Amino acid sequence: MDSKKMKKIRALVLFSGGLDSTLAVKVLEKQNIDVTGLAFVSYFFDDAKAKISADKNNIKMHSVDFSWMHCEMVKRPKRGYGSAMNPCIDCHLLMIREAGRIMCKEGFDFVATGEVLGQRPMSQNMRALKLIEKEAGLEGRLLRPLSAKLLEETSVEKEGLVDREKLLDISGRSRKRQFELVKELAINYYPTPSGGCLLTEIEFGKRLKKLWEEVEDPAFSDYELLKLGRHFWVDGAHIIIGRNERENIKLKELKGKSDIMIELEDLMGPAALVRNHDSRTVEEAKKLIAGYSRHAKNKNYHQLEYKISEG
Ligand code: SF4
């Protein structure tokens, strides 16, 4: 008996929630393949978009937190960074390698992605696609349904697990074909492509670099602190000044036992979290608070009263 009739083929698809990965899922589902979307969580991105998209498009989804492993890779990427601190080739490789590990452990038949040949010059050219497949140890088991007809036939296609004829031949940066397919495949929702990964932001990259210069082994909250406020480093102390009420509250939530919070006693203004403080850095933090407070304008920071919370 044909083994396809006995057991449904199972695919694990790297799933960001964006249009391309959603299309990859839907193209495979159309072939009656049992698809699970796989989203990753790290210090620098989360699975929020993927969860919304999975929910609205009726996609089964699984999330994996690989923060530590991902962060180690971001510190020393073998193939370097993009325009900011985004090591896209190594990051993608790590995700696909992890997907391959899950595929073996959980009995999936193959891994697929929403990659499109030529869409991203650094990580989606022919050479990069081949390299990723080889280095992830997934030769023949990694399918790119959106560009499959332009790529070498995989074992997955040769074995008849998927019908190559029903896969696509999209390439390049234009998204015209993808938008046409939204209707055809009845996709209800997809988020805008912008944002999502802090590593692509130049300013965040500078903060991250500085953190690694100053702190040998940062904690989870060190990475969380990078996501808000204004940052100053004074003699090894990290001073973060909230830019609004929401950030002031978040800083208090992130305050560790050995950190201090400094606020103006009687005036509205920014709060400061100081990590690794001493008396000199406390004075620096007070100066910064006074400098950024509209209500303390024209006053010398010495003349102001401060509330300091420790422990
Ligand atoms: S944009 Fe961010 S999440 Fe995406 S591949 Fe690059 S580094 Fe990884």
Side-chain angles (χ1 to χ4, degrees), residues 46-237:
D46 63 23
D47 58 357
K49 274 186 183 179
K51 277 183 173 158
I52 296 170
S53 181
D55 185 45
K56 299 204 179 205
N57 290 307
N58 223 355
I59 292 168
K60 217 182 335 172
M61 195 194 106
H62 177 66
S63 290
V64 169
D65 187 331
F66 70 161
S67 297
W68 183 83
M69 191 192 295
H70 183 261
C71 192
E72 289 303 298
M73 176 280 295
V74 177
K75 275 183 199 163
R76 285 173 287 275
K78 264 195 187 164
R79 289 158 197 89
Y81 300 103
S83 53
M85 287 282 278
N86 50 317
C88 290
I89 296 184
D90 288 296
C91 176
H92 213 65
L93 176 57
L94 182 63
M95 290 183 191
I96 293 178
R97 198 176 276 149
E98 278 304 288
R101 196 184 52 73
I102 296 168
M103 173 190 89
C104 295
K105 196 172 146 221
E106 297 183 13
F108 286 91
D109 293 285
F110 63 95
V111 170
T113 72
E115 288 162 301
V116 170
L117 181 65
Q119 187 178 77
R120 291 190 189 153
M122 187 175 160
S123 58
Q124 294 183 3
N125 58 57
M126 191 68 93
R127 206 179 132 262
L129 293 184
K130 277 193 179 156
L131 178 128
I132 285 170
E133 180 181 345
K134 187 163 179 252
E135 292 219 3
L138 275 174
E139 276 171 295
R141 310 307 295 176
L142 178 58
L143 189 73
R144 277 96 174 198
L146 305 193
S147 293
K149 282 180 168 170
L150 303 171
L151 304 170
E152 218 173 281
E153 193 174 13
T154 60
S155 313
V156 175
E157 293 153 280
K158 284 181 196 158
E159 290 163 17
L161 302 185
V162 293
D163 182 348
R164 182 172 171 87
E165 282 316 302
K166 291 181 183 154
L167 300 177
L168 305 171
D169 58 356
I170 305 176
S171 69
R173 308 189 78 161
S174 159
R175 315 206 77 214
K176 195 167 168 261
R177 286 278 306 283
Q178 283 95 317
F179 293 132
E180 285 165 5
L181 284 162
V182 167
K183 270 195 188 161
E184 213 177 301
L185 294 171
I187 290 171
N188 304 320
Y189 168 89
Y190 57 91
T192 52
S194 62
C197 176
L198 289 166
L199 295 171
T200 59
E201 294 176 15
I202 304 279
E203 271 317 305
F204 184 84
K206 286 182 192 163
R207 290 180 187 179
L208 181 61
K209 224 170 159 183
K210 185 69 182 159
L211 175 69
W212 285 336
E213 277 166 25
E214 297 281 348
V215 183
E216 202 184 314
D217 189 14
F220 170 72
S221 68
D222 287 308
Y223 292 106
E224 285 301 296
L225 284 172
L226 295 187
K227 298 175 186 174
L228 59 142
R230 295 182 170 90
H231 292 251
F232 303 89
W233 290 89
V234 182
D235 297 342

